[in-house]
Amino acid sequence: MSVHPITDQEFEAEVLKAEGPVLVDFWAEWCGPCKVMGAALDALAGDMGGKVKITKVNIEESPESPTKYGVRAIPTLILFKDGEIIAETRGAMSKDACKSWIEQNIA
């Protein structure tokens, strides 16, 4: 599996109406910590297999979704399940830390 870039127009179908947990990475091209987090999520997408769908929203190209969910700093990771937020964290973290965070929240 891989990380799926999505837009505001795709957010409802790809995240809110998705079956199973969905991780959304809110990021921007100019953000250094976002690039670190992006690399970790790319690696994690293969490891997590069918456990969680990993998506990313560029806050500059799609400003509606981050505004709706109160994203004030990037990177922000929000974990959704059945259209509801089940966990949220801010800042870059290692691949292993991110995997642990996801697993704790989807168990």
Side-chain angles (χ1 to χ4, degrees), residues 43-54:
L44 210 58
D47 292 355
M48 297 299 288
K51 293 181 187 174
V52 64
K53 177 180 178 180
I54 301 176

Side-chain angles (χ1 to χ4, degrees), residues 1-7 10-11 14-15 18 21-27 38 41-42 45 49 52-58:
M1 296 194 89
S2 62
V3 176
H4 304 284
I6 60 171
T7 64
E10 300 166 314
F11 197 90
E14 294 290 332
V15 177
V22 181
L23 176 67
V24 181
D25 172 26
F26 291 96
W27 71 288
L41 291 174
D42 285 340
V52 64
K53 177 180 178 180
I54 301 176
T55 65
K56 64 188 206 171
V57 173
N58 184 318

Side-chain angles (χ1 to χ4, degrees), residues 15-36:
V15 177
L16 303 179
K17 293 186 176 178
E19 288 188 24
V22 181
L23 176 67
V24 181
D25 172 26
F26 291 96
W27 71 288
E29 191 68 44
W30 48 263
C31 169
C34 295
K35 291 180 181 182
V36 171

